[in-house]
Amino acid sequence: MESGVESSDFNIPVPHATLRIVLTPPRESDGAAVIRGLNDPKVYMNLNGPPYPYTERDRDEWYTKVSREWKQNCAELNAIREREQASPSAGEIGTPSDWSQRPWLGGHWTSPIRHIEESETGIIEKFIGDIGVERESFLYIVDAEEKERRKAENDKLEAGDPNISWEIGFWLIPEYQGRGIMPAALQKLMAEIIIPHMNAHTVVGTHFEHNLASRKVFEKCGFSFETLVPNAVTINPAKIGGVEGQKVGVGVLKWQRNFAD
Ligand SMILES: CC(C)(COP(=O)(O)OP(=O)(O)OC[C@H]1O[C@@H](n2cnc3c(N)ncnc32)[C@H](O)[C@@H]1OP(=O)(O)O)[C@@H](O)C(=O)NCCC(=O)NCCS
């Protein structure tokens, strides 16, 4: 499709005072950097989702999944653009009655974060981390049946339904932490994708109790602290020298669409 979105050409520039940062589609060539990052304790001690140790096989499975999802996202974005071109005034979002009349992104979106550097040999688009949004996992709900029930209910809502609860996930390689990159990346993803193309009205961010940097990112992006659930998650024993049953608390922050937005 001539004017359509192809996964290879979809980039979102992220404003930053000193670095050229961009969100792009996943690339197979990022494998080694992703594996190195997710096996670093400054990253994996703060994440619940990815397996640890993170192997080449884990990365291959993840890449197969996300590249399939990117094709779907691009098809959905093309449908959105065609609809907007056909009737530009009908694209208004947010009113509870009109959402089912137009296409939306409905599933998982993940973007690598890249630092664009110029070198003698040309431009390098270095992988420095990942940011994504998906239907909420209800990580902080301790009762397994209740968690499953809430997740199933949320998963079956149609794309664009303002009742969907979305959840953010993100990480940066250690050399790029503490430089204000993630607040800028999250703000941009919210403004360019999550609000206009997912019709998000509720977005949740969770963090391990000790991870105040993560909490600050959410707060800088307009999320409000909701609760801290003590001992909500069991830490993968492989991360802590084989110790079984060690738990960590989970903080929950929430962003809610203000109808004036
Ligand atoms: C959490 C994370 C995404 C924050 O992104 P970031 O771009 O580093 O965020 P910022 O630079 O705005 O830092 C946020 C705050 O935390 C502090 N901070 C960030 N990284 C830190 C670190 N490694 N050690 C101590 N403080 C840190 C910053 O000083 C800043 O505080 P300030 O607002 O008072 O200046 C990033 O540090 C990271 O990837 N950490 C490992 C993985 C992770 O925790 N993922 C989130 C899981 S919920």
Side-chain angles (χ1 to χ4, degrees):
M1 193 183 313
E2 211 175 55
S3 61
V5 179
E6 295 287 338
S7 70
S8 57
D9 62 18
F10 191 89
N11 289 324
I12 303 178
V14 174
H16 189 274
T18 54
L19 303 171
R20 272 180 74 198
I21 303 290
V22 67
L23 307 182
T24 77
R27 294 180 193 156
E28 196 161 11
S29 55
D30 292 334
V34 173
I35 292 169
R36 206 171 325 117
L38 289 175
N39 284 313
D40 189 306
K42 289 190 178 129
V43 176
Y44 69 69
M45 286 309 288
N46 296 305
L47 298 181
N48 185 58
Y52 177 79
Y54 194 81
T55 63
E56 225 163 279
R57 187 169 168 188
D58 295 322
R59 161 66 191 174
D60 289 347
E61 283 174 9
W62 170 254
Y63 184 74
T64 303
K65 172 178 160 351
V66 295
S67 48
R68 195 176 52 234
E69 288 168 348
W70 260 91
K71 287 204 180 94
Q72 175 74 18
N73 285 335
C74 286
E76 289 172 0
L77 273 179
N78 283 327
I80 291 167
R81 284 197 178 169
E82 276 171 25
R83 171 75 162 56
E84 282 167 355
Q85 276 161 8
S87 53
S89 62
E92 293 304 315
I93 55 164
T95 57
S97 56
D98 73 1
W99 66 267
S100 61
Q101 304 304 311
R102 50 164 291 186
W104 299 95
L105 294 171
H108 181 208
W109 177 287
T110 187
S111 284
I113 306 170
R114 297 184 194 282
H115 175 203
I116 302 182
E117 288 178 296
E118 278 178 43
S119 78
E120 281 167 9
T121 51
I123 291 192
I124 301 165
E125 298 190 336
K126 182 179 174 187
F127 173 94
I128 63 166
D130 242 321
I131 183 165
V133 59
E134 61 188 327
R135 305 272 177 130
E136 193 185 350
S137 68
F138 300 94
L139 179 67
Y140 52 90
I141 297 182
V142 178
D143 182 87
E145 265 179 43
E146 173 67 359
K147 189 197 292 269
E148 204 39 55
R149 189 185 65 73
R150 294 281 298 280
K151 191 166 159 29
E153 258 175 30
N154 195 45
D155 283 350
K156 75 172 187 238
L157 296 173
E158 254 179 76
D161 190 324
N163 296 307
I164 296 172
S165 184
W166 295 96
E167 180 172 350
I168 302 291
F170 46 52
W171 65 274
L172 287 170
I173 60 173
E175 306 91 281
Y176 285 85
Q177 294 175 10
R179 297 164 79 175
I181 294 171
M182 202 55 88
L186 176 55
Q187 252 152 16
K188 205 65 185 158
L189 193 66
M190 294 280 289
E192 300 275 333
I193 299 293
I194 300 175
I195 298 172
H197 295 322
M198 291 178 158
N199 198 25
H201 282 60
T202 304
V203 186
V204 167
T206 60
H207 65 91
F208 286 164
E209 197 171 353
H210 54 261
N211 190 356
L212 298 182
S214 176
R215 175 172 167 165
K216 280 186 183 173
V217 172
F218 290 121
E219 286 173 339
K220 286 178 191 174
C221 295
F223 288 58
S224 304
F225 178 74
E226 290 269 307
T227 186
L228 185 113
V229 182
N231 301 320
V233 167
T234 304
I235 303 174
N236 175 354
K239 292 182 180 177
I240 47 172
V243 179
E244 300 273 348
Q246 185 131 326
K247 301 205 181 240
V248 63
V250 169
V252 183
L253 290 96
K254 199 176 265 187
W255 175 92
Q256 258 163 332
R257 172 90 62 94
N258 174 343
F259 270 93
D261 286 349

